[in-house]
């Protein structure tokens, strides 16, 4: 399936050979699908934004009446389940979290590992969400940290596509990370000034 997926989604940075994608699915530029990712869309649609990373064993499905939409630069970490929900731009969804039908996670938010976001729950932008059921425990603008995480995974995806599985080591990597952090902080400051 991997070659067919690379042909179907030529702008993706990396699609692992074990990823499975079925139905009405769009995958944006620079996105990456890591080992064991499954995306199914039999009725509604799934939209994966630009530079999104769907990490190992993520399951993305649609709701009966709701599509699944993942905004640009989101990091969907290991073993997350997204089911007919909307994830805003620059979000980080923690390991093992579940986001249910009709739920909306606002931009720049973090959903903690193993959190359970109920059907129809709306999380405001810049939230930190924890628990089962999930609750907003703090407000914080996570733009820089979450966007840096997406950058790290995009860089890793490009390395994996080239056969390099050690892209997060060495002086060159650290210099690039520091430079990207400075760029994101300046971008964020400019966005807040507007």
């Amino acid at each position: 399936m991997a070659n067919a997926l690379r042909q179907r989604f030529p702008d993706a940075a990396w699609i692992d050979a074990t990823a499975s994608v079925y139905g009405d699915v769009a995958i944006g530029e620079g996105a990456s699908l890591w080992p064991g990712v499954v995306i199914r869309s039999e009725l509604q649609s799934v939209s994966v934004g630009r530079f999104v990373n769907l990490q190992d064993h993520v399951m993305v499905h649609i709701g009966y009446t709701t599509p699944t939409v993942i905004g640009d630069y989101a990091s969907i970490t290991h073993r997350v389940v997204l089911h007919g929900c909307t994830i805003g731009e620059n979000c980080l969804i923690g390991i093992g979290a579940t986001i249910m039908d009709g739920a909306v996670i606002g931009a720049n938010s973090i959903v903690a590992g193993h959190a359970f976001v109920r059907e129809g729950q709306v999380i405001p932008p810049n939230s930190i969400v924890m628990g089962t059921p999930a609750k907003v425990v703090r407000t914080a603008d996570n733009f820089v940290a979450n966007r840096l995480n997406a950058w790290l995974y995009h860089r890793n995806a490009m390395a994996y596509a080239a056969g390099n599985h050690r892209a997060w080591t060495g002086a060159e990597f650290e210099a690039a990370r520091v430079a990207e952090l400075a760029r994101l902080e300046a971008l964020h400051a400019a966005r807040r000034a507007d």
Side-chain angles (χ1 to χ4, degrees):
M1 178 171 270
N3 286 336
L5 290 179
R6 284 191 203 75
Q7 290 173 359
R8 184 175 170 191
F9 307 112
D11 294 331
W14 168 250
I15 299 176
D16 187 79
T18 62
S20 299
V21 179
Y22 305 98
D24 185 1
V25 176
I27 296 177
E29 170 195 1
S32 56
L33 278 58
W34 294 87
V37 167
V38 175
I39 303 174
R40 289 183 27 230
S41 177
E42 300 86 356
L43 177 61
Q44 302 292 329
S45 63
V46 171
S47 175
V48 176
R50 297 177 314 117
F51 303 100
V52 166
N53 56 88
L54 300 179
Q55 297 175 20
D56 311 59
H57 304 288
V58 166
M59 172 62 198
V60 179
H61 196 217
I62 44 86
Y64 187 72
T65 61
T66 53
T68 297
V69 178
I70 306 168
D72 296 345
Y73 299 98
S75 292
I76 313 302
T77 67
H78 316 286
R79 294 187 296 105
V80 165
V81 175
L82 302 180
H83 201 274
C85 59
T86 298
I87 308 298
E89 292 185 351
N90 312 309
C91 284
L92 187 142
I93 310 301
I95 293 171
T98 299
I99 319 291
M100 291 302 296
D101 304 49
V104 177
I105 308 298
N108 308 319
S109 292
I110 294 174
V111 176
H114 303 286
F116 183 85
V117 179
R118 297 180 321 272
E119 292 179 355
Q121 188 172 3
V122 177
I123 303 298
N126 303 310
S127 294
I128 297 178
V129 179
M130 300 175 78
T132 302
K135 294 180 182 158
V136 175
V137 296
R138 194 166 78 228
T139 300
D141 186 339
N142 302 293
F143 173 88
V144 172
N146 290 355
R147 192 79 168 250
L148 183 62
N149 192 77
W151 175 83
L152 288 167
Y153 264 86
H154 179 256
R155 181 183 172 92
N156 208 29
M158 298 301 288
Y160 266 65
N164 177 7
H165 303 144
R166 300 285 295 167
W168 290 352
T169 62
E172 186 273 330
F173 164 73
E174 188 56 29
R177 188 192 66 76
V178 168
E180 181 64 10
L181 177 59
R183 186 189 76 78
L184 290 171
E185 287 171 341
L187 174 64
H188 189 51
R191 287 170 45 130
R192 283 194 317 227
D194 286 345

